[in-house]
Amino acid sequence: MSGATKAKLLEGALRTLTEQGIARTSARTIAAAAGVNQALVFYHFGSVDELLAAACRYGTEQRVARYRDRLDRIGSLAELLAFGREMHEEEKAAGQVAVLGQLLAGAQTHPRLASAAAAGIELWIAEIEQVLVRALAATPLAGFADAGGLARAVSASFVGIELYEGVDAQGARSALGALDQLASLVTALDDLGPVAGRAVRHALRRASRP
């Protein structure tokens, strides 16, 4: 029963963040959403912040697991960006973009929540890094691009675009369009052929020398 109660509290915390925002999230509102006594918040998690941190990890693990099979089938940057667009629409419809916004807002003043949010984003970064290693392997950028750094850049871009869309939907669409252009550029480099590919790699080596 203890595990079921904890799951209810985790789900209740995520639902409260979505529906009421971080400012109105409390032991009382979470317990009400979970349908349990609010004393159980402290019994199972010790504090509201600890519950929210656990809910952040719990929610992210669920979302990553939901998309892992699709991520494993991605073989190019264009496919990764297309997936990102689809995932954004699905996550927005499920209320997950709202949860992310509230968690990041709370992280500004709650260190425990900040570390949990960072750990959650790291789960996404690890998945995206695997995709980038695979997608860049056959391109002239292989061996020059830092897949880990790019994974963080891609993740940060999508987080920023998701939050930005709430205040400027057209601007968010333009940002996604710019990312699509970068993907097209990489695809064009890949299509240049072996001679041009060697020239690109040579130029990259020269540019990367200290």
Side-chain angles (χ1 to χ4, degrees):
M1 193 62 165
S2 175
T5 300
K6 290 179 74 172
K8 285 182 180 179
L9 286 166
L10 293 168
E11 295 285 356
L14 293 172
R15 190 159 60 252
T16 302
L17 283 170
T18 304
E19 297 172 357
Q20 302 194 44
I22 190 71
R24 294 184 179 180
T25 296
S26 65
R28 181 182 61 80
T29 56
I30 292 171
V36 302
N37 188 296
Q38 74 179 66
L40 292 173
V41 169
F42 305 99
Y43 176 78
H44 287 290
F45 296 97
S47 69
V48 173
D49 278 1
E50 287 294 332
L51 169 53
L52 290 175
C56 177
R57 291 191 297 272
Y58 171 79
T60 304
E61 287 168 357
Q62 284 192 321
R63 306 318 291 177
V64 171
R66 172 186 173 87
Y67 294 110
R68 185 167 285 124
D69 286 346
R70 286 162 66 180
L71 284 164
D72 287 345
R73 294 194 295 270
I74 294 173
S76 69
L77 285 180
E79 290 175 2
L80 176 60
L81 290 171
F83 163 79
R85 286 178 178 271
E86 294 170 8
M87 186 187 76
H88 171 67
E89 293 303 320
E90 292 176 22
E91 293 293 277
K92 183 169 65 173
Q96 296 301 313
V97 172
V99 170
L100 175 62
Q102 293 302 319
L103 286 171
L104 292 178
Q108 304 305 308
T109 54
H110 296 72
R112 185 72 188 87
L113 194 54
S115 62
I121 292 173
E122 282 292 330
L123 293 177
W124 283 113
I125 289 171
E127 296 291 331
I128 293 171
E129 182 175 354
Q130 292 182 50
V131 173
L132 289 172
V133 168
R134 189 166 62 246
L136 295 173
T139 75
L141 298 179
F144 297 97
D146 173 11
L150 280 175
R152 282 173 167 74
V154 169
S155 299
S157 295
F158 273 101
V159 168
I161 289 169
E162 286 184 342
L163 300 178
Y164 183 39
E165 186 181 42
V167 296
D168 184 359
Q170 181 57 48
R173 285 193 291 272
S174 295
L176 285 171
L179 291 176
D180 284 339
Q181 290 175 344
L182 287 176
S184 297
L185 176 60
V186 173
T187 300
L189 287 174
D190 193 29
D191 291 341
L192 289 176
V195 175
R198 285 195 293 272
V200 170
R201 284 191 288 273
H202 177 69
L204 288 172
R205 289 192 191 96
R206 293 182 59 186
S208 62
R209 289 172 186 164

